[in-house]
Amino acid sequence: MVCNGVQLPDDSLALYEYIASGNHSCNPNCMIVSAAGLTDSDGRAVRNVSILKAIQPLRTGDELTYSYIPSVILQAGARDRRDFICMHRGFKCKCCACKLELKLRKVLWHGTKPIRRKLKLLQRKGFGLELKYMRG
């Protein structure tokens, strides 16, 4: 089932009103963590509860975002992340991180046009060259 529920340590599923209404980002400023070890206002240990924890400095008015996808997938490129989100969550990611990465890739690709033309010319002459770029 695809939903904004949070899986708890005992494998049950909880739906928190404010966490469930949070937006996804591939560069989130929060993460969902277990509240194990915390106590409530009466001093009793809190069990089977999750909280939203800031992982970046926040300012008043910042949107709180967290990732809907596993951290391993966050390490992939924007296209792979967007494909994963579309397949598993049913929407096309338009977060700032994806937009920026795709825009940068487009700018870099268009900047290589003269190089690509020369490579094609050399390939026609029998040279086995190819253009590769590295992420990093």
Side-chain angles (χ1 to χ4, degrees):
M1 174 162 83
V2 176
C3 71
N4 284 353
V6 176
Q7 186 147 10
L8 299 173
D10 68 354
D11 288 331
S12 60
L13 194 64
L15 189 61
Y16 299 102
E17 179 181 359
Y18 296 111
I19 293 177
S21 63
N23 284 326
H24 163 79
S25 175
C26 291
N27 184 24
N29 57 19
C30 295
M31 66 186 293
I32 299 171
V33 297
S34 170
L38 298 178
T39 56
D40 63 17
S41 59
D42 296 327
R44 293 179 297 214
V46 177
R47 295 182 1 184
N48 287 336
V49 174
S50 291
I51 58 173
L52 200 58
K53 176 184 176 184
I55 56 174
Q56 295 179 12
L58 299 171
R59 292 178 290 190
T60 302
D62 283 352
E63 177 184 21
L64 302 180
T65 60
Y66 60 94
S67 176
Y68 292 179
I69 58 178
S71 58
V72 172
I73 304 298
L74 286 177
Q75 306 305 313
R79 286 186 182 154
D80 293 332
R81 291 192 312 263
R82 291 177 92 178
D83 288 347
F84 184 91
I85 292 170
C86 187
M87 186 183 316
H88 293 276
R89 297 302 300 245
F91 70 94
K92 193 171 187 175
C93 184
K94 295 180 182 175
C95 74
C96 293
C98 283
K99 284 182 185 178
L100 181 62
E101 186 176 328
L102 292 171
K103 186 176 184 176
L104 181 61
R105 180 175 290 189
K106 188 175 181 179
V107 167
L108 290 174
W109 179 249
H110 287 299
T112 63
K113 261 186 184 174
I115 296 169
R116 287 184 282 139
R117 279 192 213 116
K118 287 181 182 179
L119 284 175
K120 281 184 183 179
L121 182 65
L122 289 171
Q123 286 172 340
R124 284 188 205 127
K125 292 182 179 182
F127 290 94
L129 302 170
E130 62 181 284
L131 177 64
K132 289 189 176 186
Y133 65 94
M134 303 196 45
R135 278 186 61 194

